[in-house]
Amino acid sequence: ANGVTVIRELLRGMALIQFSDEIRSELEAFSASGKDAQITPSLAGVIDNIAATGMTCYPWSTLKTLMRARLEECLEEALARYKDERKQTDTQSKSDQSNIAATPPTKEKQESDRADELAFLERQQRFFLSLDTYDEAPFTLQRLAELTRNPERTYKKPSKYLAALEKMVNISTTMIPLTPEEATSYNLTIPTSLVHSLSSSSSTSTTSSADPSSDESAPAPAPTLPSSSESSGMGGAIATVFPSSESSSPSSSTPETSTNETTNTTIEEAETPGDPMDM
């Protein structure tokens, strides 16, 4: 790997946990405003920071509204892209058959496409109902945040993207947010002078051999959020040891996880078995 790639990976592993009272107030206002609210760059930055660090200080009660709004956007965009691509494919196929007169889609084809779309929307609704059942953030929060970042690079069909999201809510383990003081203690363990130095070097370095197809937005693994575990269902947070300012590494304590967690959080392309849709 070249020097720029190494620097970039180092920076990803040293992201600071971001928190401010202004953003917390903006999150609360967004949560109370309903579906007409727009996701501002600062709110989008909250999701990006969770994807990079796996940690947050914001309560799930307000964060859930933002995550749901962003995931709804991603799913709508995925469905719209797929419908456009399928329409273009059908048009190209007809133009290739120059000796056959163009004909509109049959009634049966239109009804089949509509049934597939309705089935997808029903699955999507069930996913959000599952997300709403959590009293605290699911333990897969970081993965959910990552799945909002350029999902079209990995998932060409909306059903496969939705299948990846569904796996993220097929768990009972949850986690509690850090307090601002705990976030500050963690940030003190990060060598910020080195971060600034590497950032400067990365911004002034250029390379002609970079692979344009590489996914530069994919975050590196980050320290895991503290969790609350349940022997059955959700709720009932457990006490968790957080990193202190004297700690030499945020990974000195391992958060406890539930034994009934059933999800593998690795992105997979495979669709849910038995899915009748080819969307």
Side-chain angles (χ1 to χ4, degrees):
N2 57 44
V4 173
T5 301
V6 172
I7 290 173
R8 185 182 297 118
E9 294 303 321
L10 286 171
L11 287 171
R12 287 173 183 165
M14 293 191 293
L16 301 177
I17 302 171
Q18 298 173 1
F19 174 81
S20 72
D21 291 331
E22 291 78 10
I23 298 298
R24 181 178 60 185
S25 297
E26 188 176 353
L27 262 175
E28 292 171 351
F30 182 89
S31 180
S33 60
K35 290 191 174 183
D36 295 333
Q38 298 294 318
I39 299 178
T40 63
S42 57
L43 291 179
V46 172
I47 299 177
D48 288 341
N49 190 241
I50 293 173
T53 65
M55 304 185 188
T56 185
C57 291
Y58 302 110
W60 177 241
S61 58
T62 55
L63 190 60
K64 175 168 57 177
T65 305
L66 174 63
M67 287 297 302
R68 176 174 181 136
R70 180 62 188 129
L71 289 168
E72 285 177 343
E73 285 183 354
C74 290
L75 286 164
E76 288 174 4
E77 293 166 0
L79 183 58
R81 276 194 307 271
Y82 180 74
K83 292 168 70 174
D84 287 344
E85 291 171 0
R86 187 169 57 182
K87 184 178 180 180
Q88 292 174 6
T89 300
D90 292 343
T91 302
Q92 181 63 37
S93 177
K94 290 177 181 179
S95 66
D96 292 342
Q97 301 174 356
S98 56
N99 59 330
I100 301 177
T103 58
T106 64
K107 182 178 180 180
E108 291 77 10
K109 178 67 164 59
Q110 291 176 334
E111 290 177 350
S112 176
D113 290 345
R114 181 56 180 164
D116 287 347
E117 183 175 345
L118 288 175
F120 175 81
L121 294 176
E122 288 175 2
R123 274 183 61 194
Q124 177 178 312
Q125 184 178 20
R126 289 195 298 269
F127 162 73
F128 284 117
L129 287 174
S130 296
L131 187 66
D132 288 341
T133 62
Y134 288 93
D135 295 326
E136 294 289 350
F139 193 69
T140 52
L141 178 62
Q142 182 179 19
R143 199 80 204 96
L144 281 170
E146 291 173 345
L147 286 170
T148 67
R149 306 175 72 184
N150 304 313
E152 70 279 1
R153 295 185 181 182
T154 303
Y155 303 99
K156 304 305 180 185
K157 294 181 179 181
S159 61
K160 290 186 177 182
Y161 179 48
L162 181 54
L165 294 175
E166 288 170 333
K167 293 177 182 178
M168 299 303 104
V169 295
N170 189 25
I171 62 168
S172 60
T173 312
T174 59
M175 61 191 183
I176 58 177
L178 299 175
T179 66
E181 294 76 19
E182 289 161 348
T184 299
S185 294
Y186 169 77
N187 288 342
L188 288 175
T189 68
I190 303 295
T192 54
S193 60
L194 179 58
V195 171
H196 296 322
S197 174
L198 290 174
S199 297
S200 176
S201 300
S202 179
S203 63
T204 57
S205 300
T206 57
T207 177
S208 59
S209 60
D211 181 4
S213 65
S214 63
D215 184 0
E216 296 188 359
S217 66
T224 311
L225 274 138
S227 68
S228 62
S229 301
E230 307 78 21
S231 58
S232 60
M234 284 164 285
I238 62 169
T240 310
V241 178
F242 296 96
S244 65
S245 57
E246 293 81 17
S247 300
S248 59
S249 170
S251 61
S252 59
S253 61
T254 303
E256 184 177 347
T257 59
S258 172
T259 58
N260 53 355
E261 180 176 349
T262 59
T263 294
N264 181 354
T265 59
T266 303
I267 294 180
E268 297 183 9
E269 282 279 7
E271 289 191 54
T272 303
D275 185 359
M277 270 194 321
D278 189 27
M279 295 186 68

